[in-house]
Amino acid sequence: MAKREEQTADRTAEPGQKLGEKAYQKELARLHGELVHLQEWVVKKRLRVCILFEGRDGAGKGGTIKALTERVSPRVFRVFALPAPTEREKSQMYFQRYLPLLPAAGEIVVFDRSWYNRAGVERVMGFCTQEQATEFLRGVPLIERAIIDSGTILIKFWLEVSQKEQTRRLEGRINDPRKVWKLSSMDLESYRRWYDYSRARDEMFDMTDTPESPWFVVRSDDKKRARLNVISHLLNTIAYAPLPREKIALPTRQKAQGYQDPDYPYRYVTEKF
């Protein structure tokens, strides 16, 4: 089956400028419709899809995942953002806590950060040794090959943000009560260690960007373009087709047959708006 043709957004901005909200919403709505078709295809064909999102703090992973999943079923698109490992998990084989989360038939699993924590934050922040990080980088291509050979479609995205844009976004979190929860001491330290993360990223790409399991880099200084590009790439990676649907019509509502609304003292929410 041929892959579906990629369509570009009806952009109001010139290349290099931010994508306008109207053009963004129009294209996002179209892509959301295609994601519903993909979802139905994955369920019907019992496919297994695993999508990894990695990148620097402030690169836009959370917003991209939200745009990807906000119009589909959470029972099909299952999102995992694992907390720090427990003491028991630290004593296990490193991959052990991720393996049970891999998709079953008819599922698309999305990791907001993944086993690549070991190649990034754990390595840079000293939560693992250099030897453990090196062992991970040597072993992960073999494990990913086994995941792919089992029939799972594995897609890896790296969101790349510039120093200037990362600074703007993290500064924007400091005094915004809606975003301050997203700014941790770990974010501040990772901001300081920009080049340590750069070196870790470079070695990670060198050892884990394989023909069987490649990394796809997303330029994310423009969040809207990044979200559309990720969704478009996903739709063009997995061959699918819209499934036929029966025409839907609302049934006739039953007659009241004597039912009357009760005279009950409901406690209504105060209507301030």
Side-chain angles (χ1 to χ4, degrees):
M1 182 185 299
K3 295 179 182 177
R4 298 179 63 80
E5 279 189 25
E6 183 174 4
Q7 300 182 34
T8 56
D10 178 18
R11 295 170 177 169
T12 58
E14 295 297 324
Q17 294 181 331
K18 296 290 185 180
L19 180 61
E21 182 67 18
K22 184 177 180 180
Y24 169 68
Q25 291 296 341
K26 179 180 179 181
E27 182 65 8
L28 185 62
R30 185 189 73 79
L31 292 174
H32 279 159
E34 291 298 323
L35 283 171
V36 171
H37 290 316
L38 172 64
Q39 171 180 265
E40 293 172 342
W41 184 265
V42 166
V43 172
K44 178 73 172 178
K45 300 298 182 180
R46 297 179 59 80
L47 301 181
R48 302 196 305 270
V49 182
C50 183
I51 307 171
L52 313 186
F53 282 92
E54 296 288 344
R56 299 180 189 273
D57 292 307
K61 296 180 293 298
T64 302
I65 292 170
K66 181 180 178 181
L68 172 65
T69 60
E70 63 185 343
R71 296 292 184 176
V72 290
S73 170
R75 287 179 288 276
V76 178
F77 280 78
R78 303 171 61 219
V79 179
F80 295 105
L82 297 187
T86 64
E87 289 303 315
R88 181 175 185 275
E89 288 170 334
K90 289 178 183 178
S91 71
Q92 296 173 340
M93 181 185 78
Y94 178 73
F95 280 95
Q96 192 166 335
R97 72 175 185 148
Y98 293 99
L99 296 179
L101 304 179
L102 292 175
E107 292 180 348
I108 299 174
V109 165
V110 179
F111 282 103
D112 183 354
R113 295 199 183 278
S114 65
W115 46 83
Y116 281 99
N117 275 337
R118 174 134 295 184
V121 61
E122 290 190 14
R123 179 181 188 178
V124 173
M125 296 298 179
F127 298 146
C128 71
T129 65
Q130 179 61 45
E131 290 75 18
Q132 288 173 321
T134 301
E135 180 183 3
F136 166 82
L137 290 171
R138 287 174 179 163
V140 70
L142 300 176
I143 292 177
E144 290 179 357
R145 181 63 179 269
I147 292 172
I148 294 167
D149 287 348
S150 76
T152 298
I153 300 169
L154 179 62
I155 304 170
K156 303 188 300 191
F157 290 114
W158 174 272
L159 274 63
E160 186 64 35
V161 65
S162 66
Q163 290 191 40
K164 180 180 178 180
E165 181 62 16
Q166 186 193 49
T167 298
R168 188 190 71 80
R169 291 178 186 177
L170 295 184
E171 285 179 343
R173 296 177 182 179
I174 294 174
N175 298 313
D176 190 332
R178 302 166 301 171
K179 300 178 181 179
V180 67
W181 64 272
K182 298 169 71 175
L183 189 62
S184 67
S185 57
M186 193 73 66
D187 297 322
L188 298 176
E189 186 63 15
S190 70
Y191 175 83
R192 187 178 73 83
R193 299 191 183 199
W194 174 275
Y195 292 105
D196 287 343
Y197 271 94
S198 295
R199 294 183 183 94
R201 176 205 59 197
D202 295 347
E203 185 173 1
M204 180 188 77
F205 275 26
D206 185 54
M207 298 185 70
T208 66
D209 183 25
T210 64
E212 299 82 12
S213 181
W215 281 102
F216 293 98
V217 178
V218 184
R219 287 191 285 263
S220 66
D221 276 13
D222 186 330
K223 291 181 179 180
K224 294 185 178 71
R225 291 186 193 273
R227 294 165 187 171
L228 298 181
N229 287 332
V230 164
I231 298 173
S232 179
H233 179 92
L234 173 63
L235 292 169
N236 281 276
T237 298
I238 304 172
Y240 72 100
L243 296 174
R245 287 199 193 102
E246 293 183 6
K247 257 191 170 180
I248 300 173
L250 291 176
T252 302
R253 186 169 282 161
Q254 67 179 164
K255 296 184 184 302
Q257 296 179 335
Y259 176 82
Q260 294 182 348
D261 288 332
D263 183 17
Y264 186 83
Y266 293 112
R267 295 176 179 85
Y268 287 102
V269 171
T270 303
E271 296 180 346
K272 294 183 177 180
F273 306 98

